[in-house]
C-alpha cells in the first residue's frame, strides 16, 4: 500500500470521528484534537509504563508461541502418523475462542504476567501450529529427496528446508492473529493487574470518568496493534521476498 | 562400481516391484533405463541413491554396502527439487552449505571434503551467472534444471543418477541439456544412469540400455549401444533402427 493512500485513509477516519463528536456532542466522544492533547499529556505520565507492560506481554507470548508451535507444526507436517493422532484434537480445539479461558487461566495461574501471556499464547499457538503444519506437509517429496541426496540428514533438512519453509507460515499466522491477540490482551488486563493498557483504559473510563485520557489509552492500544501489524508486514516483505517476486512474474 | 545383488523391494509386501533382481554397472559407463510408466524405474534409481532400501539382497557401491545417500552420488529429478525461497546461487550452493553444516564427518559428507568453492565456474558453465540472483519462480524449466545440475556437479560426484531429467522441457532445451550431459560425462569420468520413458532419449544417451517391463521384475533386458554419442548419431540409420527395436521390446512387454 502506498503511503499517500494510508495518509488519506487516516485523514478520512479522523474526519468521520470529528463529525461524529460534533453530532453526538457528549463528553463520551471527545474530538480528535482533545484526545490528541490528552495523549500528549498522558504520554509524559503513566501511559508509557502501561504501554510497555502490554507490549511485553504480547511480545513474550508471541515468542513463546513461535518457539513451541513452529517445531510442533514441522513435526506434524512431516509425520503422517503423528498428524493422524493429533489432527482431530487440533481440529476440535482450533475454532474454540480462546478468550473464554481467561477466567480459568486467571484462576489457575493467579495474578502476575504469566496468565496474560498464556492466554495470548493459546490464541497464537494454534494459529501458527496449523499454518506451519500445512506448509510443512505441502513440501513436495521430490524436494526432500533431492536435498537428502545432497547429504542432508534430519538436522540439515530442518535447517535448510523446514525452517525457511515455515517462516512465511509463521508470519502469515501472526498477521492474521495479531489483532485478536491485542483484543484479548485488553480483556486479560481487566483482571488482577494494575499495569497494562487494558487496565488503564478501564480505569480512566469507568472509575475516573476521564474520557480524553481513556481515549488516549485506546489510541495507545491501537498504535500497539498497528505497530505489531506493520512489523509483521515488513518482515514478511523482507524475508519472503521470493513470494512477492514470484507473484509479479 | 554399482552392484545390485539379488534385491527384493516393493511398497506393498505382497506385490514386489523387484524380485531377486541383480544388475551391475562398471565405472564410467553410461546407462539408460527404459520402461513404461509405473514399471519401477524411478524406484530402482532411489534404491541406488540410498533413499530406499531393499527388503532382501544388497546394493554395493565401490564395494561399500549402501546404507544412506552416498556423498559422491548426485541425483537429479524431473521435478528439479529447488528451494523456492532461495536464489539460483543459493540453490546451487545448497550441497556445499549442507557439507559446511556437518563438516567432513565421513557420514553425510566425504571425509576428504575441501570447502573450496568452484560455484562460479559451474554457474558460468551452465549459463546461469546472469540469473544468479533470481528465484526459481522466475526461471524457465530449462534454467531450473540447469540450476539443479549445477547444484549436483559442484559437489564433483562420480556417479550421477537422473530421473526423467528433461521430460518436461521443450525439444531444443532438451537437446541442449542432453548434449551438455554427454559432454560432462566424457570430461569428468562420470558414471551415468538416466531413467527415461522416451525411447529416443534412451537410444541417444545410453551406451547401454536396460529395458524394464511390468513388475515384478526379476531381470532386465540389456542392449548394447556403443555408437551412441558419435557425431551425427542423432540423425543416423543405426539410431533409427535401435529406436525401432526398443519400441518392439516395449510393446512386447
Amino acid at each position: 500500500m502506498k503511503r499517500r493512500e494510508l495518509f488519506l485513509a487516516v485523514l478520512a477516519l479522523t474526519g468521520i470521528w470529528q463529525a461524529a463528536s460534533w453530532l453526538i456532542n457528549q463528553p463520551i466522544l471527545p474530538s480528535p484534537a482533545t484526545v490528541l492533547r490528552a495523549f500528549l499529556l498522558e504520554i509524559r505520565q503513566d501511559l508509557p509504563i502501561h504501554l510497555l507492560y502490554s507490549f511485553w506481554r504480547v511480545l513474550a507470548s508471541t515468542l513463546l508461541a513461535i518457539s513451541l508451535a513452529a517445531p510442533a507444526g514441522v513435526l506434524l507436517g512431516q509425520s503422517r502418523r503423528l498428524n493422524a493422532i493429533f489432527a482431530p484434537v487440533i481440529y476440535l480445539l482450533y475454532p474454540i475462542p480462546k478468550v473464554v479461558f481467561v477466567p480459568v487461566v486467571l484462576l489457575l495461574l493467579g495474578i502476575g504476567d504469566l496468565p496474560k501471556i498464556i492466554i495470548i499464547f493459546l490464541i497464537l499457538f494454534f494459529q501458527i501450529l496449523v499454518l506451519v503444519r500445512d506448509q510443512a506437509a505441502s513440501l513436495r517429496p521430490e524436494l526432500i529427496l533431492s536435498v537428502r541426496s545432497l547429504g542432508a540428514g534430519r538436522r540439515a533438512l530442518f535447517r535448510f528446508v523446514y525452517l525457511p519453509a515455515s517462516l512465511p507460515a509463521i508470519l502469515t499466522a501472526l498477521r492474521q492473529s495479531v489483532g485478536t491477540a491485542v483484543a484479548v490482551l485488553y480483556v486479560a488486563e481487566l483482571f488482577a493487574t494494575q499495569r497494562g493498557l487494558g487496565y488503564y483504559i478501564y480505569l480512566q473510563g469507568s472509575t475516573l470518568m476521564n474520557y480524553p485520557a481513556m481515549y488516549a489509552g485506546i489510541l495507545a492500544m491501537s498504535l500497539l496493534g498497528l505497530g505489531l501489524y506493520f512489523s509483521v508486514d515488513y518482515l514478511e516483505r523482507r524475508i519472503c521476498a521470493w513470494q512477492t517476486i514470484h507473484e509479479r512474474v | 562400481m554399482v552392484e545390485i545383488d539379488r534385491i527384493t523391494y516393493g511398497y506393498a509386501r505382497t506385490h514386489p516391484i523387484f524380485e531377486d533382481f541383480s544388475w551391475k554397472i562398471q565405472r564410467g559407463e553410461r546407462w539408460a533405463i527404459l520402461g513404461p510408466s509405473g514399471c519401477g524405474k524411478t524406484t530402482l534409481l532411489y534404491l541406488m541413491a540410498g533413499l530406499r532400501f531393499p527388503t532382501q539382497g544388497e546394493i554395493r557401491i565401490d564395494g561399500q554396502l549402501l546404507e544412506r545417500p552416498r556423498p559422491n552420488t548426485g541425483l537429479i529429478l524431473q521435478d528439479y527439487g529447488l528451494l523456492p525461497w532461495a536464489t539460483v546461487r543459493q540453490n546451487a550452493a545448497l550441497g556445499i552449505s549442507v557439507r559446511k553444516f556437518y563438516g567432513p564427518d565421513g557420514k553425510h559428507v566425504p571425509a576428504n571434503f575441501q570447502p573450496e568453492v568452484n560455484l562460479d565456474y559451474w554457474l558460468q558453465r551452465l549459463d546461469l551467472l546472469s540469473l544468479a540472483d533470481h528465484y526459481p519462480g522466475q526461471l524457465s524449466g530449462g534454467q531450473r534444471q540447469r540450476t539443479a545440475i549445477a547444484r549436483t556437479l559442484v559437489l564433483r560426484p562420480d556417479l550421477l543418477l537422473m530421473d526423467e531429467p528433461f521430460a518436461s522441457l521443450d525439444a531444443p532445451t532438451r537437446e541442449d541439456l542432453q548434449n551438455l550431459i554427454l559432454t560432462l560425462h566424457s570430461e569428468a569420468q562420470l558414471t551415468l544412469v538416466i531413467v527415461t520413458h522416451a525411447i529416443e532419449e534412451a537410444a541417444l544417451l545410453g551406451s547401454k540400455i536396460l529395458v524394464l517391463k511390468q513388475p515384478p521384475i526379476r531381470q532386465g533386458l540389456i542392449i548394447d549401444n556403443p555408437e551412441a554419442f558419435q557425431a551425427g548419431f542423432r540423425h543416423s540409420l543405426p539410431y533409427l533402427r535401435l529406436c525401432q527395436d526398443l519400441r518392439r521390446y516395449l510393446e512386447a512387454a
Side-chain angles (χ1 to χ4, degrees):
Chain A
M1 215 169 307
K2 285 192 191 108
R3 256 167 219 208
R4 216 173 81 91
E5 291 166 10
L6 276 179
F7 179 71
L8 287 177
V10 169
L11 223 57
L13 288 173
T14 315
I16 293 170
W17 179 2
Q18 179 67 63
S21 113
W22 275 331
L23 278 174
I24 292 171
N25 199 16
Q26 302 256 341
I28 186 71
L29 189 59
S31 74
T34 316
V35 170
L36 190 63
R37 237 176 288 129
F39 182 80
L40 292 175
L41 189 73
E42 296 292 323
I43 204 80
R44 272 170 275 165
Q45 295 175 18
D46 287 350
L47 191 55
I49 300 285
H50 296 287
L51 181 62
L52 273 180
Y53 263 89
S54 294
F55 176 62
W56 140 249
R57 284 165 186 157
V58 178
L59 191 69
S61 44
T62 305
L63 295 179
L64 189 66
I66 292 175
S67 59
L68 291 179
V74 166
L75 208 64
L76 290 180
Q78 231 193 126
S79 156
R80 271 189 208 173
R81 207 179 308 161
L82 274 181
N83 194 36
I85 298 170
F86 285 101
V89 182
I90 296 168
Y91 182 81
L92 285 180
L93 290 179
Y94 179 67
I96 293 178
K98 310 300 176 298
V99 65
V100 299
F101 291 114
V102 168
V104 183
V105 174
L106 284 174
L107 280 174
L108 282 177
L109 298 175
I111 54 171
D113 282 350
L114 188 63
K116 284 126 193 125
I117 291 171
I118 292 294
I119 286 162
I120 302 171
F121 160 79
L122 282 177
I123 294 171
L124 298 175
F125 178 83
F126 284 97
Q127 202 78 22
I128 297 171
L129 179 74
V130 169
L131 283 177
V132 170
R133 179 194 62 184
D134 295 348
Q135 177 81 20
S138 76
L139 289 172
R140 304 184 64 113
E142 289 85 0
L143 176 66
I144 309 292
L145 285 176
S146 49
V147 180
R148 277 181 60 203
S149 80
L150 295 171
R154 223 169 261 277
R155 277 191 303 138
L157 268 184
F158 186 83
R159 161 68 185 79
F160 293 106
V161 181
Y162 290 112
L163 183 70
S166 47
L167 271 179
I170 293 174
L171 290 172
T172 305
L174 287 180
R175 195 154 47 82
Q176 285 174 359
S177 42
V178 87
T180 321
V182 174
V184 172
L185 175 72
Y186 170 77
V187 176
E189 284 179 345
L190 293 180
F191 303 98
T193 182
Q194 300 200 335
R195 293 270 181 262
L197 289 173
Y199 165 78
Y200 177 87
I201 291 169
Y202 190 77
L203 176 80
Q204 299 291 349
S206 296
T207 314
L208 305 177
M209 308 288 176
N210 183 352
Y211 294 125
M214 177 187 82
Y215 276 98
I218 293 176
L219 190 61
M221 199 138 201
S222 310
L223 290 175
L224 177 66
L226 272 177
L228 291 170
Y229 189 85
F230 285 154
S231 313
V232 173
D233 212 39
Y234 172 76
L235 285 176
E236 210 168 17
R237 265 182 287 127
R238 280 284 311 261
I239 298 176
C240 311
W242 60 277
Q243 282 183 322
T244 44
I245 287 176
H246 187 84
E247 280 158 19
R248 246 183 276 144
V249 172
Chain B
M1 174 171 209
V2 183
E3 290 168 85
I4 297 183
D5 192 4
R6 307 190 63 175
I7 60 160
T8 296
Y9 181 85
Y11 292 99
R13 204 163 274 271
T14 45
H15 297 285
I17 300 173
F18 293 99
E19 202 170 60
D20 206 18
F21 175 84
S22 296
W23 182 33
K24 265 195 185 127
I25 300 174
Q26 303 298 328
R27 184 171 285 277
E29 281 183 335
R30 203 170 68 228
W31 281 86
I33 306 178
L34 180 67
S37 308
C39 73
K41 33 189 207 312
T42 296
T43 306
L44 185 57
L45 207 68
Y46 286 172
L47 285 162
M48 285 193 277
L51 295 166
R52 303 266 184 277
F53 300 95
T55 43
Q56 281 168 43
E58 39 186 55
I59 298 177
R60 287 180 298 272
I61 297 185
D62 278 341
Q64 291 254 319
L65 182 66
L66 192 64
E67 287 174 304
R68 65 167 47 97
R70 179 176 163 271
N72 289 325
T73 300
L75 178 68
I76 290 172
L77 305 176
Q78 180 187 353
D79 186 65
Y80 322 122
L82 300 179
L83 305 174
W85 54 82
T87 60
V88 167
R89 179 181 293 278
Q90 290 164 340
N91 264 300
L94 182 62
I96 298 166
S97 309
V98 169
R99 293 190 173 190
K100 285 184 179 160
F101 178 76
Y102 284 113
D105 63 356
K107 189 171 134 186
H108 302 94
V109 179
N112 60 358
F113 169 64
Q114 300 287 329
E116 44 155 300
V117 178
N118 49 359
L119 189 61
D120 274 15
Y121 167 77
W122 285 110
L123 287 178
Q124 191 179 16
R125 184 78 202 265
L126 290 164
D127 227 357
L128 291 167
L129 217 43
S130 61
L131 301 169
D133 295 322
H134 285 51
Y135 292 97
Q138 300 169 285
L139 303 181
S140 70
Q143 292 164 338
R144 287 184 208 191
Q145 194 55 291
R146 290 212 301 269
T147 308
I149 294 172
R151 176 176 72 180
T152 304
L153 291 181
V154 79
L155 299 176
R156 303 207 155 276
D158 54 8
L159 171 63
L160 188 58
L161 308 174
M162 310 178 97
D163 184 19
E164 308 262 9
F166 314 129
S168 45
L169 306 177
D170 58 77
T173 313
R174 184 164 57 235
E175 283 182 22
D176 231 31
L177 287 183
Q178 284 169 343
N179 290 337
L180 176 77
I181 288 297
L182 290 172
T183 313
L184 292 171
H185 169 262
S186 58
E187 265 178 26
Q189 286 305 304
L190 275 169
T191 308
L192 194 70
V193 181
I194 181 163
V195 160
T196 178
H197 68 266
I199 290 166
E200 294 76 12
E201 187 163 73
L204 200 66
L205 293 181
S207 58
K208 291 187 167 189
I209 301 170
L210 175 73
V211 185
L212 300 180
K213 301 178 178 180
Q214 291 298 339
I217 295 166
R218 293 186 186 85
Q219 217 181 357
L221 179 70
I222 292 174
I223 296 167
D224 272 313
N225 179 25
E227 287 170 71
F229 194 48
Q230 285 173 6
F233 181 66
R234 208 185 273 272
H235 309 289
S236 72
L237 209 56
Y239 166 74
L240 291 176
R241 206 169 293 139
L242 177 64
C243 287
Q244 269 173 11
D245 286 350
L246 288 171
R247 190 163 288 121
R248 235 189 6 256
Y249 290 131
L250 280 180
E251 276 161 8

